Amino acid sequence: MRSIAVINQKGGVGKTTSSVNLAAALARAGRKVCVMDLDPQAHASLHLGITAIDGEATMYELLCGDATIEQARQKINDNLFVVPSNLDLAAAEMELASEVGREMILSDKLAEDPEDFDYLILDCPPSLGVLTLNALVAVNEVFLPLQPHFLALHGLSKLLRTIEVVSRRMNSRLQLSGVVLCMYDSNTRLAAEVSTDIDQFFNVSKDAGKFFRNAKFFDTRIRRNIRLAEAPSFGQSIFDYSPDSNGAFDYQSLAEEVLSQELADSQMEESDRSAIFDNSNPARMAA
Ligand code: ADP
Ligand code: MG
């Protein structure tokens, strides 16, 4: 199973659009996918056509109450599920303030979930509070959507440092595995310049530690496309709302890159294993 938190401390960069449409594309490719909505604004839930009904368990009851993942999860189709949120979740920050181990709640609940998924995709709020921390402790991977804006990298080093600290102290499996440019205008010079800056930023960061080692700057750029902005109000992914749009094409292409990482991952595990068992490996012998 791959578990991916979609994070950026800025709002409006494409986190929710990417979480939902990537999840929908992976589900169409036959993977079993669950979207977890960690934003009290509930945009991912609404985008998938789910409005929380009174009395039904949501992410709030999961984190602040006794609900299990199974109770809170809702089915969109055979391959696509969601754990929805609603505005109640805004109270989590305060309610959990004095709770010991509050960053581990989601991870613990996931460990108790009997259901198997190929992908968990966690749509995070635009902040680094207790909700995002729960996501970072629960997943193996971080995807970072960026808007090609001249301030795109502003504040990013701080965000990445914070995530790296979490990876050192609370979740050693955590890796930044993908950076994706959203709302890309291919005909503006600014977009091209900013993507070069971002490229350089991540090439430098790669030397900075384990957390960045496998970071991939996806070749797919999600172009600005009005259909992507319209789809949420119909409670549909881009593939249901406008399957022939550029938006559907771009998220399909992103999903193919994400799926190709599966292959790379299994090959890497293979070579890791052979390194471990290879006694002629001097580094191993010395260790
Ligand atoms: P975040 O979750 O980071 O706050 P959203 O995914 O909600 O960002 O996107 C912010 C707004 O921009 C939403 O109204 C969304 O529909 C719109 N949007 C996102 N991606 C695109 C795109 N590629 N083209 C056009 N509009 C987009
Ligand atoms: Mg959002």
Side-chain angles (χ1 to χ4, degrees), residues 11-12 14-17 39 41 43-44 123-126:
K15 289 185 291 297
T16 300
T17 308
D39 191 339
Q41 295 183 89
H43 288 168
D123 184 30
C124 293

Side-chain angles (χ1 to χ4, degrees), residues 10-17 183 222-226 228-229 232:
K10 288 188 188 151
V13 296
K15 289 185 291 297
T16 300
T17 308
M183 294 182 239
I222 310 296
R223 288 166 288 180
R224 194 176 280 284
N225 179 238
I226 187 71
L228 286 169

Side-chain angles (χ1 to χ4, degrees), residues 38 40 57-69 72 83-84 86-99 101-106 109 130-131 134:
L38 279 161
T58 64
M59 188 59 82
Y60 171 75
E61 283 77 16
L62 187 74
L63 295 179
C64 302
D66 294 332
T68 64
I69 300 237
V83 175
N86 59 15
L87 211 50
D88 289 349
L89 191 58
E93 200 80 45
M94 271 180 64
E95 287 187 28
L96 296 174
S98 59
E99 182 102 8
R102 58 187 172 278
E103 305 90 357
M104 322 283 294
I105 301 172
L106 185 59
K109 297 244 168 158
V130 73
L131 297 169
N134 263 277

